[in-house]
Amino acid sequence: QFRRCALELQRDFPGLKLEGGPFTPSAAVQHSIKAVRAAQAGVGIFFFFGEQILAKLGRPPFDFMSEMPQNMAVHGGMLYGLNCIAQTLKSINAFEVIYNGEVLFSKLSDGRFPEAGEVTKKLKSIKPKSAKGRNDGD
C-alpha cells in the first residue's frame, strides 16, 4: 500500500522528494513483543523440562503432561500462535505524510492506510496555498 501511494504521489508531483525510515514502536508494544517472546521460550522449556521443574518445586506433574510427547502438534501450534502475535505487534508501522509541516495523513492517528488518491487530493489542495504564501513575501 505504501508503494501504491508513493507511485501515485511521484506521478502527480514530479520531483517530490519522498523520505521514509524505520519506525520504532511505542514502549508498550516493545514490552508486549518481549512478553510474547518470553512466553514462547516458556512453552519450549516447559515442553522439554516441565516435569523436572515441577518436581524440583515439589509439585506433581499436571495431568496433561503425560500426553505431551504425543501432542507435539499442540505445542507447535502454541509456538506458532505466539509467533503470529509477536509478528502482528511488530507490523504496527507508521505511515505519516507531512508537507511543509502540515500532516496530510497519519496511519498512527487513523489506524489505516490512505485510500487511492486521498493523499494526492490533500496535497493538491494545500500546495497552491504554500506556493502563494512564498510569492507574497517576494
Side-chain angles (χ1 to χ4, degrees), residues 2-3 5 7 10 21 37-38 56 59 71 77 82-83 85-86 93 96 103 110 118 120-121 127 131:
F2 167 79
R3 184 171 169 76
C5 187
L7 290 172
Q10 288 175 331
R37 294 298 186 204
K56 291 272 187 197
R59 299 196 177 263
N71 292 329
L82 289 169
N83 189 57
I85 292 169
N93 293 325
E96 309 297 296
V103 178
D110 295 351
E118 184 176 352
T120 302
K121 183 178 175 183
K127 199 161 170 133

Side-chain angles (χ1 to χ4, degrees), residues 11-134:
R11 181 194 67 222
D12 292 345
F13 301 97
L16 183 68
K17 183 179 178 187
L18 298 176
E19 294 180 3
F23 170 70
T24 303
S26 68
V29 172
Q30 291 180 37
H31 291 305
S32 298
I33 292 169
K34 289 177 185 176
V36 171
R37 294 298 186 204
Q40 281 182 300
V43 167
I45 291 168
F46 201 75
F47 177 76
F48 290 107
F49 306 109
E51 290 183 32
Q52 293 91 333
I53 292 169
L54 290 173
K56 291 272 187 197
L57 296 173
R59 299 196 177 263
F62 300 116
D63 291 336
F64 68 86
M65 293 180 79
S66 62
E67 302 170 8
M68 282 175 55
Q70 292 84 11
N71 292 329
M72 288 185 70
V74 172
H75 285 82
M78 289 172 60
L79 290 172
Y80 177 74
L82 289 169
N83 189 57
C84 288
I85 292 169
Q87 293 301 326
T88 300
L89 288 169
K90 286 171 42 177
S91 70
I92 302 171
N93 293 325
F95 183 78
E96 309 297 296
V97 181
I98 301 168
Y99 179 75
N100 284 348
E102 188 170 336
V103 178
L104 301 179
F105 186 84
S106 171
K107 181 181 176 226
L108 294 176
S109 297
D110 295 351
R112 63 177 180 82
F113 271 96
E115 298 293 325
E118 184 176 352
V119 176
T120 302
K121 183 178 175 183
K122 287 182 181 178
L123 185 56
K124 284 179 180 177
S125 72
I126 68 161
K127 199 161 170 133
K129 289 183 220 171
S130 63
K132 182 179 179 185
R134 281 196 305 260

